[in-house]
Amino acid sequence: DSGVTQTPKHLITATGQRVTLRCSPRSGDLSVYWYQQSLDQGLQFLIQYYNGEERAKGNILERFSAQQFPDLHSELNLSSLELGDSALYFCASSVGGQGTNEQYFGPGTRLTVT
Amino acid sequence: AQSVTQLGSHVSVSEGALVLLRCNYSSSVPPYLFWYVQYPNQGLQLLLKYTSAATLVKGINGFEAEFKKSETSFHLTKPSAHMSDAAEYFCAVSGRGSNYKLTFGKGTLLTVNP
């Protein structure tokens, strides 16, 4: 158990809908990262927050947004969903925003868009 | 830009045999390198990391990796494979700027035969 929690574990929804994925980092970790894992794209970095502020953006679509709240939990919002958005979404956390800080991954949320 | 190439999408070994999973990186600055393992239907677990201290890094579950700058490699090894090592392994690189995202390789699926 990494100490990072993600809810829900599974999500099935229809095209065009909007969903919210939730992540609680390990106690004491200030950085949260979101990654998408799919068969064709592999593991792709989406976005990073550090202590409530956006730190870096990766291959995140404009239909997707995220935020980190004062209690440090984070939410990833996916809207106007398409079939291609079906993937495993991971949240990771680290103590700080340094490259040496290992990232601890949650169990993921499996999103299926039908 | 940083990148990681994992040679071999699938490696099969016999129980008790040497495990060797190959990873080559590309980075314009000294990198931080990581190996993660993913068991079926689970998140990623950190095996080990290289952060420019010792070039031979020991991790959990008997795994180790050697950083070779001249070969831009960070191969993962284990002297004797166990059935429980069967999983997917990912090599990842992180930078030193303000963006500390992990860039992952495509992964290597390790099969251990009895």
Side-chain angles (χ1 to χ4, degrees), chain A residues 33 35 37 40-41 43 45 48 55-57 88 90 97-108 110, chain B residues 32 34 36 38 41-46 49 51 88 90 94-102 104-106:
Chain A
Y33 309 77
Y35 293 86
Q37 185 179 35
D40 52 344
Q41 297 291 325
L43 271 159
F45 167 73
Q48 176 198 0
R55 174 67 69 90
K57 264 187 174 179
L88 200 48
F90 286 110
Q98 305 300 314
T100 55
N101 296 147
E102 49 261 46
Q103 296 180 26
Y104 293 88
F105 282 73
R110 183 171 294 281
Chain B
Y32 300 129
F34 304 82
Y36 282 85
Q38 185 178 27
N41 300 314
Q42 293 188 28
L44 282 80
Q45 181 183 10
L46 180 67
K49 69 175 185 180
T51 57
E88 187 146 27
F90 293 92
S94 175
R96 294 175 183 249
S98 60
N99 180 350
Y100 298 117
K101 68 172 186 176
L102 288 171
F104 287 90
K106 292 190 180 300

Side-chain angles (χ1 to χ4, degrees), chain A residues 77-89:
Chain A
N77 300 296
L78 314 177
S79 62
S80 303
L81 285 167
E82 302 175 359
L83 294 177
D85 298 327
S86 295
L88 200 48
Y89 291 84

Side-chain angles (χ1 to χ4, degrees), chain B residues 21-89:
Chain B
L21 304 182
R22 299 177 188 273
C23 172
N24 287 89
Y25 70 89
S26 173
S27 177
S28 56
V29 296
Y32 300 129
L33 294 160
F34 304 82
W35 276 99
Y36 282 85
V37 61
Q38 185 178 27
Y39 298 100
N41 300 314
Q42 293 188 28
L44 282 80
Q45 181 183 10
L46 180 67
L47 281 176
L48 48 80
K49 69 175 185 180
Y50 167 77
T51 57
S52 72
T55 56
L56 182 61
V57 181
K58 294 188 183 300
I60 62 171
N61 301 339
F63 284 95
E64 63 181 37
E66 186 172 8
F67 173 74
K68 291 187 176 180
K69 184 178 178 180
S70 60
E71 298 177 9
T72 61
S73 68
F74 190 57
H75 301 331
L76 182 71
T77 60
K78 182 173 180 177
S80 176
H82 295 161
M83 297 294 291
S84 60
D85 294 327
E88 187 146 27
Y89 292 79

Side-chain angles (χ1 to χ4, degrees), chain A residues 8-21 36-38 64 78 80-89 108-114, chain B residues 41:
Chain A
K9 287 193 71 173
H10 302 277
L11 202 47
I12 301 174
T13 189
T15 54
Q17 295 299 304
R18 173 190 167 92
V19 296
T20 296
L21 313 182
Q36 179 193 60
Q37 185 179 35
S38 62
F64 296 0
L78 314 177
S80 303
L81 285 167
E82 302 175 359
L83 294 177
D85 298 327
S86 295
L88 200 48
Y89 291 84
T109 293
R110 183 171 294 281
L111 173 66
T112 303
V113 182
T114 61
Chain B
N41 300 314

